[in-house]
Amino acid sequence: MDKLFITAVFYFFSFVVNANEILLRSDKSAKAYCHKINETVCIVLVKGVSTDVSAIENKNIGKLGVTPKSDYDKVVTFPSKWLRFNKDGNLIQFTTRAWLKGQRYTIKGMVFVDSNGKYVHQ
């Protein structure tokens, strides 16, 4: 019984933590999120079509122009704002925070996912 309870609490806690990282579109019919284990994976999910937009992290780091990504102590990327959506697609802002020798850098970049689920540009 105790083992089942601990498992249930752990599962619920994991879901709550991950739910905070999900950005929902205003009509709640689409979402964007990033997940990091070894590498960051960023996904936009619209109408059941999942699109990998993970390249936004490297593009954001490149905009900083400070040092290569591998030199940073920590890098975190997350969807920060759903800028707009229409019949042509979705425009989402992703924020990347990177720490280097105690200094935090923040950069924002946009991704566009067309109505077919294709990552078109930043």
Side-chain angles (χ1 to χ4, degrees), residues 66-110:
V66 177
T67 188
K69 180 179 167 183
S70 59
D71 290 348
Y72 287 95
D73 303 318
K74 180 180 177 182
V75 176
V76 176
T77 299
F78 56 93
S80 48
K81 189 173 185 181
W82 211 288
L83 298 170
R84 71 173 180 253
F85 65 96
N86 58 33
K87 64 179 177 60
D88 296 322
N90 297 270
L91 185 64
I92 306 113
Q93 175 180 281
F94 283 79
T95 299
T96 299
R97 291 190 179 135
W99 288 262
L100 179 66
K101 299 177 185 170
Q103 176 70 41
R104 184 181 80 177
Y105 299 89
T106 302
I107 188 73
K108 296 176 182 181
M110 295 176 282

Side-chain angles (χ1 to χ4, degrees), residues 10-29:
F10 179 75
Y11 174 78
F12 178 74
F13 179 73
S14 297
F15 178 74
V16 170
V17 169
N18 289 334
N20 290 332
E21 299 168 358
I22 296 172
L23 178 67
L24 292 174
R25 196 166 72 183
S26 62
D27 65 358
K28 309 270 192 271
S29 68

